[in-house]
Amino acid sequence: MKNIDIKNIKKIGVIVGNPGLGDLLFSFPLFSNLRRNFPEAEIYFIGNLREYTEPLVLRSKNIDDIIYYEEYKVQKIPGDLLYFFLNYRKEKFDLIFDLQRHFLITTLTKFSGVRIFQSFSMKQIFSTFKSDDSLRRKEHNALHHLRLLEPLGIVPDLICELNLFEIDFKKPKIFLKEKNIDKFVAIVASSGYDLKNWSQENYIQIINYLYENFGYKSILIGSKQDKKVLEKISNFTKNAITMPDDFKIEETAALLKLSTLTVGNDSGPLHLASFQNIPVIGLYGSTNPNLCGPLGKNSVVLKTTVNCAPCSLYSCPYNMKCIDLISIEDVSKTILKILKLK
């Protein structure tokens, strides 16, 4: 273990690459720990943000600026490769954390003049200090990122925080007022691919259960790409409505913050809710909650129990949708337990 003189660390970079919403959020605890331990340092996000996730980074109190690069171009186009390397050298970072495992990016970073470089990539041959990589694929991705801090003498905390502005709540509050909704449960019924989705019929029964037993309306959360799935559900129950599809990511996060509970599949919106520490019930089948489960202190995971799960496959070789083995009764009991505490 090494003791790093905090006063000498003025500029820190974190290479996050091109993350989806979930992977982006899983990097946030590292940024939170960096801000706590290096309060005077400038902290940079390094990567290629997707347009819809960028507002979350811009709102973060733990990230001062963004250095953009397109990973594909850096690896394939000589001019972009040279620009990336020269820009790195110009920035003169004191400390860089590499959350990716790409040979070229790792090599360029190592020889960019950075004083301290922490990375799991390439068996850590370029890392200044070795970190424990033995629990990769055994512990949560966010927790594994934090292991890069330990050789620096830092004992990290799992900090889940998401910064929103008051303006982000304006459209969600207007929407709720127009629909005459004062309390609701958020339902995340659609995710990246169908194998991760609990059945629409199950969600309809849970939505009706919430209204008939507790008086809660449900709001279906998703993007334009999820609209067909969400409309199929809302067409079969009068107790649910679909969120407006023109909400930006920060407005979706604000809407989730206003919910009493969020129930859903492994997906970006589920993690958005979890990071705001509202009660969350995550439903997991093919994906592994130990690696990518909701992190908030008020989160509960229900998972399937078949021997081959989690498999992390996009389609099942046995033509089975294991997430549907999670029973409506188990979800209902978990909802009852949470709402009783409200």
Side-chain angles (χ1 to χ4, degrees), residues 13 52 146 187 192 276 318:
Y52 76 98
L146 296 180
I187 302 291
Q276 299 182 88
Y318 305 109

Side-chain angles (χ1 to χ4, degrees), residues 42-195:
E42 289 183 315
I43 301 174
Y44 288 74
F45 179 103
I46 303 172
N48 182 30
L49 279 167
R50 304 178 191 196
E51 184 178 353
Y52 76 98
T53 61
E54 187 178 52
L56 299 180
V57 174
L58 294 174
R59 280 163 170 72
S60 174
K61 296 177 181 178
N62 303 313
I63 299 172
D64 295 305
D65 208 346
I66 304 169
I67 294 178
Y68 294 91
Y69 77 86
E70 293 188 49
E71 189 174 291
Y72 173 80
K73 289 184 177 180
V74 168
Q75 296 189 59
K76 300 293 184 181
I77 302 174
D80 284 71
L81 175 65
L82 180 61
Y83 175 80
F84 176 80
F85 180 68
L86 293 176
N87 194 42
Y88 247 4
R89 291 191 67 86
K90 181 184 71 175
E91 294 292 345
K92 296 182 179 178
F93 282 102
D94 296 304
L95 174 59
I96 288 181
F97 295 87
D98 177 16
L99 305 188
Q100 301 291 285
R101 293 175 185 256
H102 296 296
F103 166 78
L104 190 55
I105 302 298
T106 299
T107 304
L108 289 173
T109 304
K110 172 61 181 177
F111 294 102
S112 68
V114 59
R115 286 204 295 122
I116 302 169
F117 181 46
Q118 292 298 103
S119 173
F120 288 121
S121 185
M122 299 168 60
K123 297 184 178 180
Q124 304 185 67
I125 61 172
F126 287 152
S127 287
T128 306
F129 307 116
K130 294 290 190 293
S131 304
D132 183 2
D133 199 22
S134 64
L135 294 176
R136 185 191 181 197
R137 299 194 179 95
K138 294 180 182 178
E139 67 180 354
H140 200 285
N141 293 332
L143 291 172
H144 203 58
H145 294 334
L146 296 180
R147 297 231 175 242
L148 292 170
L149 291 168
E150 293 173 349
L152 307 184
I154 295 171
V155 180
D157 291 324
L158 181 59
I159 306 168
C160 296
E161 54 186 0
L162 195 67
N163 191 47
L164 297 175
F165 299 153
E166 187 60 37
I167 189 66
D168 300 331
F169 290 87
K170 183 177 180 180
K171 282 176 68 174
K173 286 181 177 179
I174 291 173
F175 166 68
L176 293 174
K177 186 175 181 180
E178 288 176 347
K179 299 299 181 181
N180 197 29
I181 296 174
D182 60 348
K183 62 178 185 178
F184 70 96
V185 170
I187 302 291
V188 186
S190 181
S191 55
Y193 51 94
D194 187 59
L195 200 61

